[in-house]
Amino acid sequence: MAGSGELKLLGVWSSPYAIRVRVVLNLKSLPYEYVEENLGDKSDLLLASNPVYKSVPVLLHGGRPVNESQVIVQYIDEVWPGGAGGRPSVMPSDPYERAVARFWAAYVDDKVRPAWLAILFGSKTEEERAVAVAQAVAALETLEGAFGECSKGKPFFGGDGVGFVDVVLGGYLGWFTAIDKLIGRRLIDPARTPALAAWEERFRATDAAKGVVPDDADKLLEFRQTLLGWSASKAK
Ligand SMILES: N[C@@H](CCC(=O)N[C@@H](CS)C(=O)NCC(=O)O)C(=O)O
């Protein structure tokens, strides 16, 4: 059982990847110390804990770092597994269903991540942004089908409760709201992807996601300006 001094998470409030880990720590009711990093001036602890990527999130468990959000989520699920009278499971217990969940989680980072980055940080013109938005929408339409396959009519990709694909996709929801404001329409459009739109509401309403998935589009867009400023000054 984790004591409050045992788990420390290095994150950034807006990071889809740190949000995944926070949702899972909440789901499992694990106490942890949260340390907000400044990506413009990374802490020595972050640099020492993740020397390869120098990115958040980093989970320190008894002082030992675990890196990469999908790895961290699976690590937490293995160390504090679900089960009778225990905590909820994030990974399915069936090996085939686990493989399917890993496939879709990888798909989210392979297809949604580059489109998300391009919409917010990469596109220089309206045309470039429109291409990136179309890529994001196409990926979300594919995920609408995946939702049917994984949820089997239940509320979450994980079935009755939040699972691996839910937290991996759910981490992006704050930024999707900011993108909606930027482009003047819904990325998870209830007309094109109705199951995902209903899933978004259910996911945001869970105790694990509340207070962790940002809902203030203006604050996120302001933060985007800060990030754009840092990358412009790095490029000089
Ligand atoms: N694949 C990584 C992605 C992590 C990532 O990109 N984190 C960003 C914040 S959202 C970061 O720390 N970037 C480092 C930087 O901007 O220098 C994961 O899933 O953990």
Side-chain angles (χ1 to χ4, degrees):
M1 165 114 188
S4 55
E6 204 188 342
L7 286 174
K8 185 186 278 205
L9 178 68
L10 312 184
V12 168
W13 66 276
S14 64
S15 165
Y17 316 104
I19 290 165
R20 293 170 177 173
V21 177
R22 298 183 78 184
V23 169
V24 170
L25 290 168
N26 288 349
L27 260 183
K28 300 261 183 192
S29 306
L30 291 166
Y32 66 100
E33 181 190 347
Y34 177 69
V35 180
E36 179 72 19
E37 280 287 334
N38 174 356
L39 293 182
D41 182 18
K42 294 175 188 172
S43 71
D44 291 342
L45 183 57
L46 173 59
L47 298 175
S49 305
N50 189 354
V52 175
Y53 293 122
K54 304 175 179 62
S55 61
V56 295
V58 173
L59 182 75
L60 292 139
H61 180 200
R64 291 195 304 175
V66 186
N67 295 319
E68 285 295 307
S69 61
Q70 292 203 19
V71 175
I72 299 171
V73 166
Q74 294 181 70
Y75 176 79
I76 294 170
D77 203 45
E78 285 177 20
V79 177
W80 295 277
R87 309 165 193 276
S89 284
V90 175
M91 302 304 292
S93 55
D94 175 75
Y96 182 75
E97 286 178 16
R98 210 153 56 232
V100 171
R102 287 190 177 119
F103 173 87
W104 287 117
Y107 179 88
V108 171
D109 279 351
D110 286 347
K111 300 291 180 194
V112 176
R113 177 185 159 95
W116 165 74
L117 284 171
I119 296 168
L120 287 165
F121 306 107
S123 38
K124 292 190 181 59
T125 62
E126 285 302 315
E127 289 72 21
E128 280 178 15
R129 181 178 292 159
V131 170
V133 169
Q135 282 164 353
V137 168
L140 290 166
E141 283 175 345
T142 302
L143 286 164
E144 173 89 357
F147 182 78
E149 182 193 344
C150 296
S151 69
K152 302 188 185 78
K154 292 185 169 166
F156 297 102
F157 284 91
D160 287 317
V162 163
F164 192 45
V165 185
D166 297 285
V167 294
V168 167
L169 184 59
Y172 287 104
L173 290 176
W175 279 111
F176 286 179
T177 309
I179 289 173
D180 293 349
K181 185 143 194 185
L182 200 64
I183 65 175
R185 68 185 175 95
R186 297 268 312 268
L187 206 54
I188 298 188
D189 179 350
R192 292 174 80 143
T193 47
L196 276 193
W199 163 84
E200 170 173 3
E201 275 188 37
R202 281 193 295 274
F203 182 81
R204 282 180 177 278
T206 60
D207 286 341
K210 266 191 238 154
V212 173
V213 176
D215 53 11
D216 186 339
D218 291 327
K219 190 174 166 203
L220 282 158
L221 291 175
E222 214 173 280
F223 190 59
R224 167 177 174 261
Q225 289 306 330
T226 307
L227 293 171
L228 285 169
W230 286 340
S231 65
S233 63
K234 259 194 243 162
K236 275 178 197 160

